[in-house]
Structure formats: C-alpha cells, structure tokens
Amino acid sequence: MDGSPFRGVVAFLATMHGKQWALRALLRRHLGMGLRVAQVDTDALGTFTGEVARVGSARETVVRKARLGMAVTGSPVGLGSEGAFGPHPVAPWMPADVEYVALVDDRSGLTVVESAVSAETNHAHLTTDGRDRPAVLAFLRRVGFPHHAVVVRPVAGPGRPEKGLRRLADVLAALGRACAGSADGRAVLAADLRAHLNPTRMRVIAAAGQRLVRRLATACPACAAPGFGRLGSEGGLPCRDCGTPTPHDVVLIHGCARCPYRLRRPVADLADPGSCPRCNP
Ligand SMILES: [Zn+2]
Ligand SMILES: [Zn+2]
C-alpha cells in the first residue's frame, strides 16, 4: 500500500443499497483510499423488479454508476457496483450472480472494471395463488428468508411490487393483495436481490471488490499506471487425450488500463476430455 497512488484519495460510490459495507474496508486496507456514499437514485439506471429496465450491459452500467456519483459530488474519483443474475457463464445449467465493480479516475484517465462470478445465489421465484401455504414456506426457506428479504408482485395487473419484506405476516398479507389484484389471481414471490437485503449477494460484491483492489495495486510494467490485469482471453485449449481445441482458455491477455502494453500468457495445461467436442460430443 506504500506508494499507492490512491492513498488519501476519497472515492464516491453511488448506491442506495449499502454497498459501501462490502467495499470500504478493502479500499482502505489495500489502497489507503477512502469511500463515501453519493446520494444518487441508482434505480433510475434499472431495477431487478422490472419497473425500470436496464439499458446496456452490466459492464457499461457499472461505469455509468461510477460517473453518476462523480457528477453529483464533483469528485474526480468514483466507484460503481452492478450485478447481473442469469445462467452461469461457464456452467449455463446453474444460476449465477455476476458482480461488477468499477473505478473511474479522471485525474489520470483510468477506468478499471473487475467482476466476480458466484453460483451461490438465491435468485429464484415462485408463482402462486397463495393457497398452497407449504409451497410458500418451502420457497421462503430456500431463499434464506428472513435473513434475505423477498418481493411480491401480481402476475398480471397494475400493482407495484412490494419490496423488502422480512416478516412472514407481511409476506402473506402482500401475497393476498397481489393475488386479489392480479387478473389471473396469482402472484410472483421472489428473492429481493438488492444488496442490503441480500447477504449472499453482498459477499459476491466483496469478492469483486477484492479483485478490484488487487488489480489497482498492480502497476503496468511499461508505464507504471495502476490497474494492470486481465483484459481477455482466447479459447482453444487442446484436449488432453486427442489434442482437439476446446472452448477453454489457451491464452490469457493481460494489459494496462491506460497504455497499449499487452502481455499474452499461455495456459500451461491441457483440457479435460469431458469438455472436448471430439471425445465428448
Ligand atoms: Zn501502461
Ligand atoms: Zn478429445
């Protein structure tokens, strides 16, 4: 941390959902950087409950969020955090949470985005008419209720989602209202994915933060700018048994966030025949 170009710098984080609790200690410990919250309506950039659709990818949105905090506070340094739930990028039969964190530093023209993927997520929903109480209770257990909050909305109809529910009585009452207000008499019960109500997600945000601080502590060998790290990869790692190229990475490309310096690191390994298009079509 000695010599960290971020020592004494205060970055602003645009969040309404307590994400500073996953990131602040990491930034201070590894970079000597402070973190403050910028009061910004980040829901304007998209909500998990669908009232506002996100425009663009999570990777674009995380940089936009960092810039939003900078614009509101006038600070040249901003941090952003954005999550995406969907199929696991490597094992698409599993649900996954991909968390992105970004640092934007206009003092030096630096934008660094890091991400972490976790198959541990409670991203799930149940469509119910509310009468099958055991199914409702089983779902709540499965998503880690009440340590994790839930959301209730009508399947079809104008009703807004009721969010942040952490008491059983509130969940059941909201289900009753949503079913009554839905054209087909059914409601959707889902995990609340907002970070402050979802400790599982908060852990993945912290993992992404770990990767970000590690990267910001790595200087470019060519120009000494912070943020040297992985930029991409190339697939085609040969199968261990027959040598056929597989989708696994054969080269990792590391690069600088500021200058054109790139480093190609071949992977010293062979792919498992289980992922080979010839051995295991
Ligand atoms: Zn460089
Ligand atoms: Zn093979």
Side-chain angles (χ1 to χ4, degrees):
M1 181 180 109
D2 289 343
S4 160
F6 300 102
R7 193 176 201 131
V9 171
V10 175
F12 279 84
L13 171 71
T15 181
M16 303 192 298
H17 302 144
K19 290 169 174 174
Q20 68 273 21
W21 302 117
L23 300 170
R24 182 180 279 147
L26 280 171
L27 294 167
R28 180 166 300 286
R29 190 165 350 113
H30 297 280
L31 302 171
M33 178 158 67
L35 186 67
R36 288 177 63 187
V37 172
Q39 299 297 333
V40 177
D41 179 13
T42 48
D43 277 357
L45 295 181
T47 62
F48 289 120
T49 30
E51 306 98 300
V52 184
R54 184 174 68 202
V55 178
S57 67
R59 193 172 269 276
E60 291 159 0
T61 302
V62 73
V63 173
R64 218 174 296 146
K65 275 189 178 172
R67 289 223 163 268
L68 209 57
M70 292 158 71
V72 164
T73 58
S75 165
V77 186
L79 224 77
S81 156
E82 174 76 1
F85 293 85
H88 195 285
V90 179
W93 58 91
M94 287 194 299
D97 172 12
V98 186
E99 292 295 336
Y100 295 84
V101 286
L103 175 109
V104 177
D105 184 350
D106 275 348
R107 300 171 312 159
S108 57
L110 200 69
T111 297
V112 177
V113 180
E114 266 294 352
S115 59
V117 182
S118 176
E120 202 198 315
T121 163
N122 69 341
H123 179 217
H125 71 272
L126 174 78
T127 303
T128 174
D129 63 9
R131 282 195 286 263
D132 188 352
R133 188 62 57 87
V136 168
L137 296 178
F139 177 84
L140 291 174
R141 267 195 302 279
R142 188 179 142 210
V143 299
F145 181 87
H147 299 297
H148 296 70
V150 293
V151 173
V152 170
R153 66 173 170 83
V155 166
R160 291 179 65 80
E162 295 193 45
K163 303 185 191 182
L165 305 170
R166 305 187 84 161
R167 290 175 46 216
L168 183 58
D170 294 342
V171 175
L172 298 176
L175 275 177
R177 279 189 293 274
C179 290
S182 179
D184 71 351
R186 294 189 305 160
V188 177
L189 174 61
D192 195 325
L193 299 173
R194 292 174 298 162
H196 60 310
L197 298 170
N198 196 315
T200 301
R201 183 170 172 228
M202 203 63 113
R203 280 198 294 275
V204 188
I205 295 172
Q210 281 278 4
R211 298 178 73 139
L212 182 72
V213 296
R214 203 177 307 141
R215 182 156 180 164
L216 290 172
T218 307
C220 170
C223 78
F228 189 78
R230 182 152 162 195
L231 291 182
S233 59
E234 289 169 13
L237 189 69
C239 166
R240 191 167 59 219
D241 282 2
C242 75
T244 300
T246 69
H248 290 286
D249 291 339
V250 68
V251 171
L252 303 181
I253 300 157
H254 289 243
C256 178
R258 203 160 65 189
C259 82
Y261 181 72
R262 299 290 178 269
L263 196 64
R264 292 168 59 85
R265 287 196 176 138
V267 174
D269 198 6
L270 291 168
D272 190 278
S275 60
C276 170
R278 191 162 144 206
C279 299
N280 189 18

